[in-house]
């Protein structure tokens, strides 16, 4: 099973943004939206409740979802321009995440590299992630063990958590 997963909380994005991803991919996958407001979502999109208080940190927690098969997560500001069928060939036993090749040359390029004026920045972008459900509990459990600490330390976001905590990631 191939699942296309989205996250909608608060009011930054709308049901139309979720539905657009459904339409742009032809409705050919299993669709799941983690949301605090399911009103207006296409009837073929399964809804799972999400705690809006976690905000973007739900991207870490979603890695713990089970029984979804191969999962492709897309942020709601991602624009699909052509068929995405080939992206599924990148599925691996470790999660795949985007590497931010577009960042400046002086940006840290190695995980663990420290540049004082860039503390806790990272070179991952979790706008697109791919993984097999049921294989990433170690990441979720590690986060939950010290969630308050990580949310303060990496206040800029989950991308920084994924980069600096050295969980295996394919780019």
């Amino acid at each position: 099973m191939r699942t296309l997963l989205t996250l909608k909380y608060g009011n930054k994005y709308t049901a139309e943004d979720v539905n657009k991803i459904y339409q742009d991919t032809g409705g050919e996958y299993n669709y799941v939206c983690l949301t605090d407001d399911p009103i207006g979502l296409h009837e073929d999109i399964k809804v799972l409740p999400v705690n809006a208080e976690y905000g973007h940190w739900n991207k870490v927690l979603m890695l713990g979802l089970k029984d979804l098969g191969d999962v492709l997560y897309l942020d709601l500001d991602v624009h699909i321009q052509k068929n995405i069928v080939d992206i599924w060939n990148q599925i691996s036993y470790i999660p795949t995440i985007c590497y931010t090749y577009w960042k400046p040359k002086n940006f840290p390029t190695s995980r663990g590299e420290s540049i004082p004026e860039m503390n806790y920045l990272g070179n991952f972008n979790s706008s697109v992630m791919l993984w097999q459900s049921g294989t990433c509990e170690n990441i979720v459990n590690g986060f939950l063990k010290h969630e308050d600490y990580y949310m303060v330390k990496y206040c800029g976001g989950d991308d920084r958590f994924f980069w600096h905590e050295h969980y295996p990631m394919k780019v």
Side-chain angles (χ1 to χ4, degrees):
M1 171 174 41
R2 291 178 171 171
T3 299
L4 212 150
L5 181 65
T6 55
L7 171 64
K8 182 180 88 65
Y9 62 91
N11 57 14
K12 183 174 181 179
Y13 296 103
T14 66
E16 278 85 44
D17 296 314
V18 179
N19 293 340
K20 177 121 176 67
I21 289 176
Y22 177 88
Q23 293 163 355
D24 289 349
T25 55
E28 62 186 81
Y29 302 105
N30 177 46
Y31 295 84
V32 176
C33 181
L34 300 171
T35 186
D36 60 343
D37 179 15
I39 295 171
L41 293 178
H42 189 282
E43 64 185 16
D44 291 335
I45 299 173
K46 181 180 176 183
V47 172
L48 294 177
V50 70
N51 183 345
E53 298 282 320
Y54 273 98
H56 57 81
W57 293 102
N58 280 297
K59 289 186 189 182
V60 177
L61 300 177
M62 73 175 58
L63 292 171
L65 294 173
K66 294 182 177 24
D67 302 322
L68 295 179
D70 295 341
V71 179
L72 173 61
Y73 167 78
L74 297 174
D75 270 356
L76 293 176
D77 59 355
V78 168
H79 296 282
I80 298 177
Q81 298 178 355
K82 62 181 185 175
N83 193 312
I84 63 168
V85 70
D86 290 337
I87 201 166
W88 299 100
N89 295 332
Q90 299 302 314
I91 199 78
S92 175
Y93 64 94
I94 60 173
T96 301
I97 192 166
C98 290
Y99 182 81
T100 56
Y101 62 87
W102 57 85
K103 291 198 175 167
K105 289 182 181 178
N106 65 337
F107 205 80
T109 57
S110 299
R111 292 171 84 178
E113 183 179 350
S114 178
I115 298 175
E117 66 274 12
M118 296 183 178
N119 267 350
Y120 299 123
L121 296 180
N123 256 335
F124 285 158
N125 183 323
S126 61
S127 292
V128 178
M129 294 191 293
L130 184 68
W131 71 94
Q132 295 171 328
S133 65
T135 63
C136 301
E137 292 89 357
N138 62 321
I139 299 172
V140 176
N141 293 337
F143 173 75
L144 289 173
K145 189 181 285 186
H146 304 290
E147 65 185 91
D148 291 334
Y149 170 76
Y150 290 132
M151 288 190 285
V152 171
K153 181 176 182 180
Y154 304 119
C155 63
D158 51 281
D159 296 340
R160 295 173 184 186
F161 169 80
F162 290 135
W163 177 265
H164 288 283
E165 292 307 311
H166 298 278
Y167 289 104
M169 295 286 205
K170 179 181 166 190
V171 293

PDB file of all heavy atoms in Angstrom, residues 45-58:
ATOM      1  N   ILE A  45     -10.244  10.974   1.573  1.00  0.00           N
ATOM      2  CA  ILE A  45      -9.077  11.251   2.417  1.00  0.00           C
ATOM      3  C   ILE A  45      -9.417  10.844   3.849  1.00  0.00           C
ATOM      4  O   ILE A  45     -10.332  11.391   4.462  1.00  0.00           O
ATOM      5  CB  ILE A  45      -8.682  12.743   2.357  1.00  0.00           C
ATOM      6  CG1 ILE A  45      -8.304  13.126   0.924  1.00  0.00           C
ATOM      7  CG2 ILE A  45      -7.534  13.025   3.319  1.00  0.00           C
ATOM      8  CD1 ILE A  45      -8.051  14.613   0.715  1.00  0.00           C
ATOM      9  N   LYS A  46      -8.687   9.848   4.350  1.00  0.00           N
ATOM     10  CA  LYS A  46      -8.891   9.396   5.731  1.00  0.00           C
ATOM     11  C   LYS A  46      -8.336  10.462   6.677  1.00  0.00           C
ATOM     12  O   LYS A  46      -7.282  11.040   6.434  1.00  0.00           O
ATOM     13  CB  LYS A  46      -8.166   8.066   5.964  1.00  0.00           C
ATOM     14  CG  LYS A  46      -8.340   7.521   7.361  1.00  0.00           C
ATOM     15  CD  LYS A  46      -7.590   6.203   7.540  1.00  0.00           C
ATOM     16  CE  LYS A  46      -7.706   5.746   8.969  1.00  0.00           C
ATOM     17  NZ  LYS A  46      -6.947   4.516   9.217  1.00  0.00           N
ATOM     18  N   VAL A  47      -9.043  10.684   7.749  1.00  0.00           N
ATOM     19  CA  VAL A  47      -8.658  11.710   8.722  1.00  0.00           C
ATOM     20  C   VAL A  47      -8.168  11.053  10.006  1.00  0.00           C
ATOM     21  O   VAL A  47      -8.811  10.145  10.530  1.00  0.00           O
ATOM     22  CB  VAL A  47      -9.856  12.636   9.032  1.00  0.00           C
ATOM     23  CG1 VAL A  47      -9.540  13.578  10.179  1.00  0.00           C
ATOM     24  CG2 VAL A  47     -10.263  13.408   7.793  1.00  0.00           C
ATOM     25  N   LEU A  48      -7.016  11.496  10.483  1.00  0.00           N
ATOM     26  CA  LEU A  48      -6.521  11.110  11.798  1.00  0.00           C
ATOM     27  C   LEU A  48      -6.381  12.384  12.620  1.00  0.00           C
ATOM     28  O   LEU A  48      -5.852  13.383  12.121  1.00  0.00           O
ATOM     29  CB  LEU A  48      -5.169  10.399  11.695  1.00  0.00           C
ATOM     30  CG  LEU A  48      -5.156   9.043  11.001  1.00  0.00           C
ATOM     31  CD1 LEU A  48      -3.734   8.499  10.918  1.00  0.00           C
ATOM     32  CD2 LEU A  48      -6.059   8.053  11.731  1.00  0.00           C
ATOM     33  N   PRO A  49      -6.864  12.361  13.869  1.00  0.00           N
ATOM     34  CA  PRO A  49      -6.779  13.577  14.679  1.00  0.00           C
ATOM     35  C   PRO A  49      -5.341  13.911  15.043  1.00  0.00           C
ATOM     36  O   PRO A  49      -4.499  13.024  15.205  1.00  0.00           O
ATOM     37  CB  PRO A  49      -7.591  13.222  15.929  1.00  0.00           C
ATOM     38  CG  PRO A  49      -7.574  11.737  15.991  1.00  0.00           C
ATOM     39  CD  PRO A  49      -7.458  11.248  14.579  1.00  0.00           C
ATOM     40  N   VAL A  50      -5.080  15.196  15.157  1.00  0.00           N
ATOM     41  CA  VAL A  50      -3.750  15.664  15.494  1.00  0.00           C
ATOM     42  C   VAL A  50      -3.877  16.711  16.595  1.00  0.00           C
ATOM     43  O   VAL A  50      -4.871  17.424  16.683  1.00  0.00           O
ATOM     44  CB  VAL A  50      -3.042  16.244  14.238  1.00  0.00           C
ATOM     45  CG1 VAL A  50      -3.660  17.542  13.790  1.00  0.00           C
ATOM     46  CG2 VAL A  50      -1.569  16.423  14.471  1.00  0.00           C
ATOM     47  N   ASN A  51      -2.864  16.761  17.429  1.00  0.00           N
ATOM     48  CA  ASN A  51      -2.820  17.766  18.480  1.00  0.00           C
ATOM     49  C   ASN A  51      -2.158  19.017  17.911  1.00  0.00           C
ATOM     50  O   ASN A  51      -0.945  19.042  17.694  1.00  0.00           O
ATOM     51  CB  ASN A  51      -2.038  17.224  19.682  1.00  0.00           C
ATOM     52  CG  ASN A  51      -2.008  18.185  20.838  1.00  0.00           C
ATOM     53  OD1 ASN A  51      -2.327  19.366  20.712  1.00  0.00           O
ATOM     54  ND2 ASN A  51      -1.612  17.694  21.991  1.00  0.00           N
ATOM     55  N   ALA A  52      -2.947  20.055  17.665  1.00  0.00           N
ATOM     56  CA  ALA A  52      -2.430  21.289  17.068  1.00  0.00           C
ATOM     57  C   ALA A  52      -1.373  21.945  17.945  1.00  0.00           C
ATOM     58  O   ALA A  52      -0.532  22.697  17.459  1.00  0.00           O
ATOM     59  CB  ALA A  52      -3.579  22.260  16.788  1.00  0.00           C
ATOM     60  N   GLU A  53      -1.377  21.640  19.240  1.00  0.00           N
ATOM     61  CA  GLU A  53      -0.385  22.210  20.157  1.00  0.00           C
ATOM     62  C   GLU A  53       1.043  21.810  19.758  1.00  0.00           C
ATOM     63  O   GLU A  53       1.984  22.536  20.009  1.00  0.00           O
ATOM     64  CB  GLU A  53      -0.653  21.751  21.591  1.00  0.00           C
ATOM     65  CG  GLU A  53      -1.999  22.186  22.137  1.00  0.00           C
ATOM     66  CD  GLU A  53      -2.005  23.635  22.560  1.00  0.00           C
ATOM     67  OE1 GLU A  53      -1.007  24.101  23.140  1.00  0.00           O
ATOM     68  OE2 GLU A  53      -3.023  24.303  22.295  1.00  0.00           O
ATOM     69  N   TYR A  54       1.185  20.649  19.131  1.00  0.00           N
ATOM     70  CA  TYR A  54       2.504  20.190  18.697  1.00  0.00           C
ATOM     71  C   TYR A  54       2.965  20.911  17.428  1.00  0.00           C
ATOM     72  O   TYR A  54       4.145  20.889  17.100  1.00  0.00           O
ATOM     73  CB  TYR A  54       2.516  18.678  18.454  1.00  0.00           C
ATOM     74  CG  TYR A  54       2.799  17.863  19.688  1.00  0.00           C
ATOM     75  CD1 TYR A  54       1.778  17.292  20.418  1.00  0.00           C
ATOM     76  CD2 TYR A  54       4.107  17.660  20.118  1.00  0.00           C
ATOM     77  CE1 TYR A  54       2.041  16.533  21.548  1.00  0.00           C
ATOM     78  CE2 TYR A  54       4.387  16.901  21.242  1.00  0.00           C
ATOM     79  CZ  TYR A  54       3.338  16.350  21.952  1.00  0.00           C
ATOM     80  OH  TYR A  54       3.610  15.597  23.066  1.00  0.00           O
ATOM     81  N   GLY A  55       2.034  21.492  16.704  1.00  0.00           N
ATOM     82  CA  GLY A  55       2.390  22.218  15.487  1.00  0.00           C
ATOM     83  C   GLY A  55       3.218  21.356  14.549  1.00  0.00           C
ATOM     84  O   GLY A  55       2.911  20.199  14.297  1.00  0.00           O
ATOM     85  N   HIS A  56       4.318  21.929  14.039  1.00  0.00           N
ATOM     86  CA  HIS A  56       5.165  21.212  13.082  1.00  0.00           C
ATOM     87  C   HIS A  56       5.859  20.012  13.708  1.00  0.00           C
ATOM     88  O   HIS A  56       6.353  19.150  12.987  1.00  0.00           O
ATOM     89  CB  HIS A  56       6.199  22.150  12.449  1.00  0.00           C
ATOM     90  CG  HIS A  56       7.075  22.832  13.449  1.00  0.00           C
ATOM     91  ND1 HIS A  56       8.169  22.227  14.007  1.00  0.00           N
ATOM     92  CD2 HIS A  56       6.983  24.061  14.009  1.00  0.00           C
ATOM     93  CE1 HIS A  56       8.730  23.055  14.873  1.00  0.00           C
ATOM     94  NE2 HIS A  56       8.035  24.182  14.894  1.00  0.00           N
ATOM     95  N   TRP A  57       5.885  19.922  15.039  1.00  0.00           N
ATOM     96  CA  TRP A  57       6.498  18.748  15.690  1.00  0.00           C
ATOM     97  C   TRP A  57       5.703  17.481  15.416  1.00  0.00           C
ATOM     98  O   TRP A  57       6.183  16.373  15.624  1.00  0.00           O
ATOM     99  CB  TRP A  57       6.668  18.984  17.191  1.00  0.00           C
ATOM    100  CG  TRP A  57       7.672  20.067  17.445  1.00  0.00           C
ATOM    101  CD1 TRP A  57       7.429  21.366  17.786  1.00  0.00           C
ATOM    102  CD2 TRP A  57       9.093  19.944  17.340  1.00  0.00           C
ATOM    103  NE1 TRP A  57       8.607  22.056  17.897  1.00  0.00           N
ATOM    104  CE2 TRP A  57       9.653  21.211  17.632  1.00  0.00           C
ATOM    105  CE3 TRP A  57       9.947  18.896  17.028  1.00  0.00           C
ATOM    106  CZ2 TRP A  57      11.015  21.450  17.622  1.00  0.00           C
ATOM    107  CZ3 TRP A  57      11.315  19.129  17.014  1.00  0.00           C
ATOM    108  CH2 TRP A  57      11.832  20.393  17.312  1.00  0.00           C
ATOM    109  N   ASN A  58       4.479  17.636  14.924  1.00  0.00           N
ATOM    110  CA  ASN A  58       3.714  16.464  14.499  1.00  0.00           C
ATOM    111  C   ASN A  58       4.425  15.706  13.390  1.00  0.00           C
ATOM    112  O   ASN A  58       4.170  14.523  13.185  1.00  0.00           O
ATOM    113  CB  ASN A  58       2.309  16.884  14.045  1.00  0.00           C
ATOM    114  CG  ASN A  58       1.380  17.112  15.213  1.00  0.00           C
ATOM    115  OD1 ASN A  58       1.087  16.195  15.968  1.00  0.00           O
ATOM    116  ND2 ASN A  58       0.944  18.353  15.381  1.00  0.00           N
TER     117      ASN A  58
END
